[in-house]
């Protein structure tokens, strides 16, 4: 099982399309880990112990279609983490410890079809959180602590 990724581990894998790092013991993803994986379309980081994601972790993953970050220990996500993922179709953030997300976190994700935010610690969402998700057809918010549904879809 992996506990840590070296910054240059995937340096020469520029044609890689699928990377499965699930079911390890990773605690953080740095900005440089996936820097050269510009052809990557599927990234599985589920079932780790992630508590931290560098704010530019996914910056160069412009072809990414599927991202699974479920079953981790994430409690905070940078507002710009997904800003370059305009082709993302499927995003799983369920089974983490996320309490809140920035209202513009999904601003560039107009292609997103599936979003799972279930089993986190959300109490509410800002009104415009989901307004940018024009292609969204599946949204799972179950098993949170939601008390306020004052948002636009």
């Amino acid at each position: 099982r992996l506990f840590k990724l070296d910054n240059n581990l995937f340096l020469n894998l520029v044609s890689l399309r699928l990377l499965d790092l699930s079911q390890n013991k990773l605690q953080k993803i740095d900005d440089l880990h996936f820097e050269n994986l510009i052809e990557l379309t599927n990234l599985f980081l589920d079932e780790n112990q992630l508590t931290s994601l560098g704010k530019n972790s996914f910056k160069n993953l412009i072809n990414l279609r599927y991202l699974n970050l479920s079953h981790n220990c994430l409690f905070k996500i940078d507002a710009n983490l997904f800003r370059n993922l305009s082709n993302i179709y499927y995003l799983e953030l369920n089974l983490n410890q996320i309490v809140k997300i920035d209202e513009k976190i999904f601003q560039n994700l107009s292609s997103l079809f599936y979003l799972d935010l279930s089993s986190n610690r959300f109490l509410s969402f800002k009104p415009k959180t989901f307004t940018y998700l024009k292609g969204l057809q599946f949204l799972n918010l179950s098993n949170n602590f939601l008390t306020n549904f004052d948002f636009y879809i």
Side-chain angles (χ1 to χ4, degrees):
R1 296 206 171 188
L2 291 171
F3 289 87
K4 183 181 179 192
L5 297 176
D6 292 329
N7 281 340
N8 296 322
L9 183 62
F10 307 115
L11 184 65
N12 295 320
L13 301 178
V14 294
S15 298
L16 190 68
R17 296 210 179 244
L18 186 146
L19 178 58
D20 190 343
L21 293 167
S22 59
Q23 298 181 352
N24 281 291
K25 302 240 184 239
L26 298 173
Q27 294 182 355
K28 69 177 187 172
I29 300 296
D30 291 331
D31 290 343
L32 301 176
H33 285 147
F34 308 128
E35 186 177 35
N36 294 328
L37 302 181
I38 56 173
E39 295 298 325
L40 196 69
T41 58
N42 296 274
L43 179 56
F44 298 85
L45 292 166
D46 51 305
E47 296 187 52
N48 277 285
Q49 297 173 356
L50 292 173
T51 57
S52 173
L53 300 169
K55 65 180 180 179
N56 291 311
S57 295
F58 309 126
K59 180 181 177 184
N60 294 339
L61 304 183
I62 57 173
N63 292 304
L64 198 66
R65 301 278 289 150
Y66 181 96
L67 177 58
N68 190 338
L69 290 164
S70 68
H71 269 112
N72 279 291
C73 304
L74 297 169
F75 59 91
K76 183 181 179 189
I77 298 193
D78 187 85
N80 295 309
L81 183 66
F82 306 126
R83 76 177 174 276
N84 291 343
L85 303 183
S86 59
N87 291 312
I88 193 113
Y89 185 77
Y90 202 97
L91 179 58
E92 291 191 67
L93 290 164
N94 53 304
L95 294 157
N96 278 287
Q97 306 296 317
I98 307 168
V99 176
K100 66 179 182 175
I101 52 177
D102 187 272
E103 187 173 40
K104 295 183 179 179
I105 194 166
F106 304 126
Q107 186 171 12
N108 296 329
L109 308 187
S110 59
S111 297
L112 194 66
F113 172 84
Y114 179 100
L115 177 60
D116 193 342
L117 296 170
S118 66
S119 300
N120 278 286
R121 296 177 179 245
F122 292 111
L123 295 172
S124 66
F125 294 98
K126 301 254 181 177
K128 295 184 180 179
T129 302
F130 303 106
T131 57
Y132 306 103
L133 301 175
K134 303 299 183 196
L136 193 68
Q137 293 189 27
F138 179 91
L139 175 62
N140 189 351
L141 300 173
S142 65
N143 293 325
N144 279 288
F145 302 101
L146 294 171
T147 57
N148 181 6
F149 284 86
D150 186 23
F151 54 82
Y152 312 109
I153 297 184

